[in-house]
Amino acid sequence: MSILEVCNLEKHFGDVEVLKNISFSLEKGEALSIIGSSGSGKTTLLRCLNFLETPNGGRILINGNPIFDAADHASRSDEEIRKKRLHFGLVFQSFNLFPQYTALDNVTLAVKLQNKGRPVSEINAEGMALLERMGLADRAGHYPHQLSGGQQQRVAIARALALSPDILCFDEPTSALDPELTGEVLKVIRSLAEQETTMIIVTHEMSFARDVSDKVIFMDEGVIVEQGTPEDVFVNPSSERTRQFLTRYSE
């Protein structure tokens, strides 16, 4: 059984159709990269999966259980939506750390709010372990303004992992970083893939997507033009639109 099934997902803003009949599945431990031009619907798709946007049609299933069905969504309460959101962890392109909190506090805040009965020392120890995985144990007491962009993004990854989501989502995780810092973030994502963390990565780093992914989706104008293995999409694309996109990127 797939850990994630997305069935005929639709999203429009007014008269503009941003997502049109999006369907795909993801197995536990797989890394899926979503590529495409700006405005193709990639980020909107991630935001729909994380319930930051409400789809206008379709279904989302986790482990075979529907967590969203447009047919009966109107009856869902905010509390239910918050619970469904916990299936996904989202790492934003602009970090979105809380400036008034240290790196450790950024990582542990949501866990402390959700698990008020647990000892703070226990939660902090877990947070420190995550920062250590990110190579940031010595930065636990630093505030975001004291960290480089790459370090901030690694704190954001640790924060997303803290709630143990089923699927970790990245929205252009290196777009706000200069080339020197991009490598350190991609190295962390690569290590997560090696540990079989289930991930969806919206990225413009084509060589990285080709190397790290089990599956690749190419989107254009709100539709999935092509999906398959990195070999299928990057080496033997069946769509002329995919070939044009990849040629432009390699120029």
Side-chain angles (χ1 to χ4, degrees), residues 4-239:
L4 172 68
E5 293 174 76
V6 176
C7 309
N8 310 115
L9 211 64
E10 306 270 346
K11 178 63 183 174
H12 53 76
F13 296 102
D15 295 331
V16 180
E17 285 186 282
V18 182
L19 298 177
K20 308 167 192 172
N21 201 32
I22 299 291
S23 295
F24 66 92
S25 63
L26 189 62
E27 304 301 314
K28 186 174 176 60
E30 284 186 331
L32 164 69
S33 285
I34 304 178
I35 61 172
S37 304
S38 295
S40 60
K42 307 183 302 295
T43 293
T44 300
L45 174 55
L46 273 195
R47 289 178 64 83
C48 285
L49 292 178
N50 284 272
F51 295 95
L52 297 173
E53 302 285 354
T54 303
N56 298 102
R59 303 169 76 219
I60 302 169
L61 295 89
I62 293 284
N63 295 319
N65 300 309
I67 65 165
F68 174 83
D69 188 334
D72 69 348
H73 181 71
S75 63
R76 301 301 179 201
S77 68
D78 289 346
E79 180 63 27
E80 285 179 293
I81 291 169
R82 275 195 292 274
K83 284 181 182 173
K84 294 174 191 301
R85 194 175 282 159
L86 293 174
H87 291 290
F88 299 89
L90 180 58
V91 179
F92 299 88
Q93 54 185 292
S94 54
F95 324 137
N96 286 17
L97 298 180
F98 296 111
Q100 71 274 34
Y101 294 126
T102 64
L104 180 60
D105 287 337
N106 265 282
V107 172
T108 58
L109 179 64
V111 184
K112 289 172 181 172
L113 290 173
Q114 191 182 321
N115 300 277
K116 292 184 177 174
R118 283 185 64 197
V120 170
S121 59
E122 190 178 285
I123 295 172
N124 283 341
E126 289 176 2
M128 281 300 301
L130 283 169
L131 287 174
E132 194 165 348
R133 276 178 71 186
M134 300 296 125
L136 292 172
D138 61 336
R139 297 289 190 271
H142 287 55
Y143 291 87
H145 75 272
Q146 298 172 309
L147 303 173
S148 71
Q151 289 169 339
Q152 289 186 60
Q153 191 60 296
R154 283 184 281 154
V155 172
I157 294 170
R159 178 176 64 181
L161 287 168
L163 287 168
S164 302
D166 294 303
I167 301 165
L168 188 58
C169 301
F170 295 88
D171 183 16
E172 300 276 16
T174 61
S175 65
L177 303 175
D178 63 45
E180 192 175 337
L181 299 176
T182 292
E184 65 185 57
V185 172
L186 294 182
K187 182 180 176 184
V188 167
I189 299 173
R190 190 184 301 277
S191 73
L192 291 171
E194 289 167 356
Q195 295 159 26
E196 298 191 340
T197 305
T198 311
M199 295 187 289
I200 300 175
I201 309 158
V202 168
T203 183
H204 59 270
E205 302 280 349
M206 295 299 123
S207 60
F208 176 75
R210 180 173 172 173
D211 291 346
V212 82
S213 307
D214 299 291
K215 291 179 180 174
V216 178
I217 284 174
F218 169 60
M219 290 183 66
D220 186 51
E221 296 185 352
V223 302
I224 293 178
V225 175
E226 193 146 2
Q227 60 179 309
T229 66
E231 177 87 5
D232 294 335
V233 176
F234 287 105
V235 182
N236 301 302
S238 59
S239 162

Side-chain angles (χ1 to χ4, degrees), residues 218 225-226 237-247:
F218 169 60
V225 175
E226 193 146 2
S238 59
S239 162
E240 178 60 29
R241 180 68 191 91
T242 311
R243 286 192 285 273
Q244 290 172 354
F245 172 79
L246 293 172
T247 300

